[in-house]
Structure formats: structure tokens, C-alpha cells
Amino acid sequence: MEKWTNNDLYIVENLIEEEPYQKIILENSRKNDLPEMEISPTQGKFLYLLAKIKGAKRVLEIGTFVGYSTIWLAKAITDDGLVVSLEFDEHYSEIARRNIELADFSDKVTIITGDAAESLHKLVEENESPFDMIFLDADKPNYPTYLKLILKLSKPGTIIYGDNVIRDGELCNESTKDEKVIGVRNYIESLGKSELLDSTALQTVGIKGYDGFSLSIVK
Ligand code: DHB
Ligand code: MG
């Protein structure tokens, strides 16, 4: 086992308290052979702390999957807050809805099922109020498309967190044929070129291996 896996487990043991139902969500995902796409507990706590530091009331999540991260975000926002979470896959959104209900966070979460770009277009058209924090964790090739739409649902001070942008260290591989890597490369380059954003990206290791995230703030 990699040294960083044990360190991650040690950190979880000492610093992280998940909602009781979150543990069951992860167990059920593995039992049902779902892809290991949930954020790790340490990352969930990090997102939770970011949302707390921001005092976030309204959070947009792109990529609900089974709702594990959604619960971290719902727990972090103010009592009158809302997490709007977009999920393409009907099966995943059904699982997530049930999980969020069982974790008792339904009153703070709205899941919208369907193509995320279409859902984002709709939110823009319907003049949805801007979000305080946006967690981008969906299909990587579309990250650049989502970024353009996300900016229309932001305001100065909005935090944008992009998951899985390091991809086992492949981010800097300019000759890659991997559509996911190409997607996150274009995303990172768009962040850099955007005059609206101040951004960085950090590499991480832990129970999910070698990956990382980008963090931006809308100027
Ligand atoms: C992948 C997607 C994720 O959101 C994640 O956390 C890990 C991997 C992927 O599509 O490879
Ligand atoms: Mg992810």
C-alpha cells in the first residue's frame, strides 16, 4: 500500500466525521460495483470547510453521482441554503435522491437529471440567482463547456472548484490522446486565459491515488 493511503486513513480517523449515512453510501457503491468516483472523505471535508469559510448559501454541483459530495456540501451551507446538483445518469440520480433522503438532507438539495450543459443553459435562461460556490465534478471532456456556462451563474467572489484535473500526472502531457486529459488541459488553459478568474491547481495524493483539483475565484 502506498504511504499516502495510510496517511489519508490516519487523517480520516483523527479529523473527519462523516454523516453516518455517508459511510453506507460508499459501502453500497462498492457492493454494487459502481465506479469509484466519489470524492474521498478528506476531500469532502475540505469542500465542506471551503463552503463554511465562504459562508455559502447557494452551491451548484455538476455531477451528483450517488450524492456523497452533495451531502458534504448540504451539511456545510447555511440552514436556509440550497445545493442544486446536476446529474446526467437517471440511475445515479435515483440512487442519489434516495441517499440524500436517507441522510436527511432532502430539504437542502435539488437534483436536476439530464445533460448538464442543457440544464445550465436552462438555469441561465430562467435567471437563476448566482451561486456562492460551484463544484465541477462531471464528464471531463466537457469541463471547458461547463466553465463558460458556470461563469453566467457566478458573481464576484464565487468559488469554482474543478475536480480530477491532474489525472495521475497526465495534465502536462501535451501529446495525450485521452479525451479526459484533453478536457482538463483545455479547462486549465481556459482558467488561465479568463480575465474573470483568479485560479490555481493543486496536486493531491491519498486513497484515490494521484490527482488534484483547481480552485478559482470570480474577480
Ligand atoms: C473520474 C471522474 C471523477 O469524478 C473522479 O473523481 C475520478 C475519476 C473519471 O472519469 O475518470
Ligand atoms: Mg471527481
Side-chain angles (χ1 to χ4, degrees):
M1 196 185 276
E2 299 280 2
K3 214 170 173 182
W4 57 61
T5 307
N6 284 331
N7 276 315
D8 216 2
L9 295 171
Y10 174 85
I11 295 164
V12 171
E13 195 181 312
N14 283 281
L15 301 180
I16 315 289
E17 199 172 341
E18 295 168 274
E19 288 293 304
Y21 201 75
Q22 280 180 301
K23 284 201 175 86
I24 299 170
I25 292 176
L26 296 182
E27 282 164 19
N28 285 345
S29 284
R30 299 298 81 76
K31 257 188 243 160
N32 294 314
D33 277 332
L34 297 184
E36 289 193 41
M37 293 196 300
E38 302 93 352
I39 53 171
S40 67
T42 49
Q43 200 188 348
K45 183 72 179 278
F46 183 72
L47 276 173
Y48 163 93
L49 289 169
L50 264 184
K52 283 263 178 198
I53 291 164
K54 172 73 189 160
K57 179 174 173 183
R58 291 171 49 75
V59 174
L60 174 64
E61 175 177 65
I62 305 163
T64 319
F65 189 38
V66 291
Y68 177 81
S69 51
T70 323
I71 292 168
W72 274 114
L73 293 165
K75 185 172 151 171
I77 57 175
T78 53
D79 288 343
D80 58 344
L82 179 70
V83 180
V84 175
S85 188
L86 314 183
E87 175 54 51
F88 176 71
D89 190 296
E90 261 177 48
H91 178 56
Y92 291 158
S93 68
E94 265 170 40
I95 295 173
R97 230 175 241 125
R98 193 166 62 237
N99 284 340
I100 290 160
E101 175 80 45
L102 289 166
D104 206 16
F105 281 95
S106 292
D107 55 339
K108 292 172 104 179
V109 178
T110 300
I111 297 174
I112 302 174
T113 309
D115 179 277
E118 279 175 26
S119 300
L120 290 167
H121 271 297
K122 234 181 240 164
L123 290 172
V124 173
E125 276 166 22
E126 290 165 0
N127 287 319
E128 180 81 12
S129 303
F131 292 91
D132 304 305
M133 181 166 157
I134 299 174
F135 176 50
L136 175 56
D137 191 20
D139 47 320
K140 314 310 165 196
N142 282 320
Y143 268 29
T145 305
Y146 298 146
L147 179 62
K148 285 191 197 126
L149 294 163
I150 281 169
L151 287 172
K152 299 184 185 182
L153 294 162
S154 301
K155 58 185 172 185
T158 296
I159 295 170
I160 302 173
Y161 181 115
D163 199 28
N164 314 116
V165 299
I166 304 297
R167 312 209 63 79
D168 209 17
E170 286 301 299
L171 174 65
C172 64
N173 181 356
E174 58 190 33
S175 54
T176 185
K177 299 259 181 322
D178 182 332
E179 292 298 327
K180 293 181 183 180
V181 176
I182 294 168
V184 297
R185 282 176 61 82
N186 288 333
Y187 176 73
I188 293 288
E189 289 166 28
S190 304
L191 293 181
K193 285 186 202 127
S194 172
E195 292 187 352
L196 289 171
L197 294 169
D198 237 350
S199 304
T200 189
L202 286 180
Q203 307 187 65
T204 57
V205 288
I207 58 168
K208 298 279 158 125
Y210 175 24
D211 207 336
F213 62 90
S214 66
L215 192 64
S216 309
I217 190 162
V218 178
K219 291 191 218 170

